[in-house]
Amino acid sequence: MLPVIETALPLLLLWGALGYLLGSIPFGMVVTKAFGLGNLREIGSGNIGTTNVLRTGSKAAAAATLILDGGKGAVAVLLARALAGDLAGEDAAQLAGLLAFVGHCFPVWLGFKGGKGVATFLGLMLALAWPVGIACCLTWLAMALLRRMSSLAALTAAVSAPLWCLVLGYQPVILLAVALAAVILWRHKDNIARLRAGTEPKIGQK
C-alpha cells in the first residue's frame, strides 16, 4: 500500500518543494492572457482549470491548459526520478507528484485559491503508473462522452483510480490515489451539489 521510504529526508523535502513550485504555476491564467482572452478570474466560475478556460470559447486555449496542467504533474514525477538517480526512489517521485497536485490546488501566488486538480492528477498518474493513468483517462473520456459533464467525468476518474491501482498491480500507489481522489471530491463539493440538484452545466456551456 505504501512505497518503500528510501530517500533521505532532506532530499524528500527538496523534491516536495520543487513539485509544489511546478504545480503552483497557474497555466490557465497564463494561457488565457497569452491568447488575449482576458482575466480568467473574471470568466465563468473564476476557476483556473481547463473547464473554465473552455468557457472563453477558445478550444485551443483549453487544450493548451489541459496539456500544461497535466504536464506539470508528470514533469514533477519524472524529474524526481531522473535527477535524483540512485539517491531517491519512488517515495520521492510520489511526493513530488503529490506536492505538484497540492501546488495546483493551493498556489501560494494566488492566495492558495487554485484549480480542482484533475488535469494535474491525470498527468502525475500517467508518470507514476502509466497503465493506471491511461485507465483513468479512458474513464474520464467515457463518462464525458456519455454524460457531457466535466465534473462527473473527473469525479468518476478520480474515484476509480485506487481500484485501477489494485486491478493493474500498482498497490504502492493506492494510498496516494485515495488521497488525491479525496481532495478532488472535496474540491468538487459545489459541483456534487449541482449534480444532485440536476443543475450542473454540460461541457462547453457557459
Side-chain angles (χ1 to χ4, degrees):
M1 293 288 289
L2 283 169
V4 177
I5 305 300
E6 54 188 353
T7 304
L9 180 59
L11 282 176
L12 279 177
L13 294 175
L14 173 63
W15 291 114
L18 290 175
Y20 178 85
L21 290 174
L22 273 172
S24 66
I25 301 172
F27 281 120
M29 298 185 71
V30 173
V31 168
T32 50
K33 287 186 178 180
F35 276 66
L37 300 172
N39 184 354
L40 190 57
R41 287 299 199 191
E42 299 174 357
I43 297 169
S45 65
N47 191 271
I48 66 171
T50 301
T51 300
N52 201 43
V53 174
L54 187 59
R55 294 189 178 106
T56 65
S58 174
K59 293 181 179 179
T65 301
L66 175 65
I67 292 169
L68 290 168
D69 278 348
K72 65 189 181 184
V75 167
V77 170
L78 296 175
L79 278 178
R81 280 181 178 160
L83 299 183
D86 293 334
L87 297 177
E90 285 301 293
D91 54 345
Q94 285 202 30
L95 183 63
L98 171 62
L99 268 294
F101 176 83
V102 171
H104 176 80
C105 294
F106 309 102
V108 64
W109 330 111
L110 300 178
F112 302 102
K113 297 178 180 179
K116 296 178 180 178
V118 179
T120 306
F121 154 74
L122 292 173
L124 72 90
M125 290 305 296
L126 282 167
L128 274 174
W130 65 265
V132 175
I134 289 175
C136 289
C137 288
L138 291 175
T139 301
W140 185 97
L141 181 61
M143 186 57 68
L145 291 173
L146 181 65
R147 298 297 302 274
R148 303 293 298 170
M149 293 183 185
S150 178
S151 60
L152 185 59
L155 291 166
T156 305
V159 171
S160 73
L163 177 61
W164 287 125
C165 289
L166 182 63
V167 170
L168 296 172
Y170 286 86
Q171 283 82 358
V173 187
I174 289 178
L175 186 59
L176 175 63
V178 169
L180 297 176
V183 175
I184 288 173
L185 285 168
W186 176 63
R187 298 289 286 175
H188 282 79
K189 58 184 183 297
D190 293 337
N191 303 85
I192 293 172
R194 289 193 294 270
L195 285 167
R196 295 179 65 181
T199 58
E200 181 72 349
K202 302 283 186 176
I203 293 174
Q205 182 179 342
K206 295 185 179 181

